[in-house]
Amino acid sequence: MTGIPYRFDRTATAADVTHQGADLEPGGESGQEVSVAGRVMLSRPQGRLAFAELRDSSGAVQLMALHALTEDFEAFTRLRLGDWIGARGEVIRTKRGEVSVKVAEWCLLAEARRSFGDKWRGVTDIETRFRQREVDLWANEASRKVLLLRSNMLRRLRQRLWDEGFVEVETPILHPIPGGAHARPFVTHHNALDADLYLRIAPELYLKRLVVGGFEKVFEVGRLFRNEGLSPRHNPEFTAIELYQAYADYTDLMVLVEELVSGLAGDLLGTTSLVYQGRPLDLTPPWRRATLVELVAEATGRDVGVHVPVAELRRVLRDEGVPFEEAWGPGKLLLELYEKTTEASLWGPVFVCDYPAEVSPLARRHRDDPTLVERFEPVVAGRELGNAFSELTDPDDQRARFEAQAAERAAGDDEAMPVDEEYLQAMEYGLPPTAGLGIGIDRLAMILADVANIREVIAFPTLRPER
């Protein structure tokens, strides 16, 4: 063995070797030679014989080295836990029944200069797990499985949408003005243009401009950025899918959502009847549909709505211990009451429908009550997975709502939207009846992977700086 090679010709994974040797009798030889590569997880020198466990992304396989056969046997016995090696040899089954590679040649591919030490037995410290994710992934098999499930979920999600005729696109991440959602943006500066730009909080307005341009079914999977706090359900940068479908309304998207989510559960887990955090969760369609007002009444026993006088709504919030601001209108008061008293108790799955127009500046007014909009949020296991609505298509109504938002922004609400003149111009070319949907990929992965913290499903979550 000499220097570190530039590449290594691997012909089999650990799983392949296990499969090839499955029919061998104890002490049997296959006559098949393979080249394997991975990280040394265990090393057991026994005089003129040495065993090591080699792990790769498919699993683990035993290496057996013999003084009389293996090149540079003494160096093999000195391998440290964590070293990456490549090895060539015959697939055999030892007399004790272990499928192994009888090593003829091997080479060091990377030296583990930093010892993993006791971490091989599993990292349990939360800060170590996420700050040193590369260690966590080797020490905790469950961590690798969660990230693999997320990857497979995205692959299947895309395939399902492609099969439905949706076109995948990309829209800008740097926005001249923040829009498409209520959120505080991150601000950066473009030197050549001498202009401030904003990391996108949502791709919504650009995607709807593509619908104006003739894309009837369109979606984007990408990172969004919101300058907000950290919690088990929130990360400042996260992944979402947004899609828009022409000639549809929000009832069409309810069917799409329940079919997508239940379909993904079936694809990845083989069932729509799950257990999440120890509690049964059945994702089988159809899901319940209920209005926000109905659900608040069920949770609190209060008969409330946007038509209830503001003074009475304030009294209800005080009685329920929900803080509020005097400037809030009935729609904002009602939404705050729902979020603080009702949402977390909805195990679901349930579509929470018909939100106040006051808090939904991009949604179309409800066909039966103009103080509401045709909007729903799918709630599963007490958490909102997404947001959807029949899109507002009237440019005059949209301008009025943008201007109302701009007034709130001028009054100090840094999450309110400014007026987007480019989007209003696009609407004036004509936006057909359209329904739009956004789903948080991380939160959906949490449900399917049965984890309670969003950091588990993000490879490198945002962490507080170390002191």
Side-chain angles (χ1 to χ4, degrees), residues 5 11 16 36 54 65 72 77 124-125 132 148 162 181 204 229 244 300 305 311 313 347 351 360 384 417 422 424:
T11 64
D16 293 335
V36 293
L54 185 82
D72 209 348
T77 65
T124 56
D125 178 73
Q132 299 179 32
L148 284 172
W162 293 334
E204 175 169 341
Y244 293 84
T300 67
L313 283 174
W347 193 250
F351 293 119
S360 311
E384 166 233 328
M417 301 181 207
E422 287 190 359
L424 289 170

Side-chain angles (χ1 to χ4, degrees), residues 113-185:
R113 296 188 179 185
R114 186 182 292 270
S115 172
F116 283 79
D118 291 340
K119 296 185 179 70
W120 286 127
R121 290 196 287 271
V123 178
T124 56
D125 178 73
I126 294 296
E127 287 297 308
T128 300
R129 287 191 56 219
F130 297 117
R131 289 190 192 281
Q132 299 179 32
R133 190 61 131 159
E134 61 279 5
V135 177
D136 175 46
L137 292 173
W138 282 105
N140 296 312
E141 185 178 0
S143 296
R144 294 195 304 279
K145 288 183 176 179
V146 166
L147 295 186
L148 284 172
L149 180 142
R150 177 196 173 104
S151 176
N152 289 330
M153 182 189 79
L154 279 167
R155 178 173 57 84
R156 291 299 306 150
L157 176 61
R158 281 186 161 98
Q159 188 63 60
R160 284 178 170 274
L161 290 174
W162 293 334
D163 291 344
E164 291 291 327
F166 282 86
V167 177
E168 184 171 7
V169 298
E170 294 178 320
T171 63
I173 289 177
L174 293 175
H175 288 190
I177 61 174
H182 277 86
R184 183 183 295 115

Side-chain angles (χ1 to χ4, degrees), residues 125-134 136-137 143 146-147 150 223 229-239 442 446 453-466:
D125 178 73
I126 294 296
E127 287 297 308
T128 300
R129 287 191 56 219
F130 297 117
R131 289 190 192 281
Q132 299 179 32
R133 190 61 131 159
E134 61 279 5
D136 175 46
L137 292 173
S143 296
V146 166
L147 295 186
R150 177 196 173 104
R223 283 292 225 216
L230 305 174
S231 84
R233 300 183 185 183
H234 297 89
N235 196 66
E237 58 173 312
F238 60 98
T239 303
D442 310 296
M446 289 170 65
N453 196 307
I454 196 170
R455 293 188 294 183
E456 299 284 357
V457 298
I458 299 175
F460 296 98
T462 303
L463 302 172
R464 300 184 189 282
E466 289 186 289

Side-chain angles (χ1 to χ4, degrees), residues 14 32 103 125-126 186 241 247-248 307 325-326 339 349 390 462:
Q32 297 177 330
V103 179
D125 178 73
I126 294 296
F186 288 97
I241 179 170
Y247 318 124
H307 301 292
E325 297 180 14
E326 292 295 324
E339 289 182 344
S390 302
T462 303

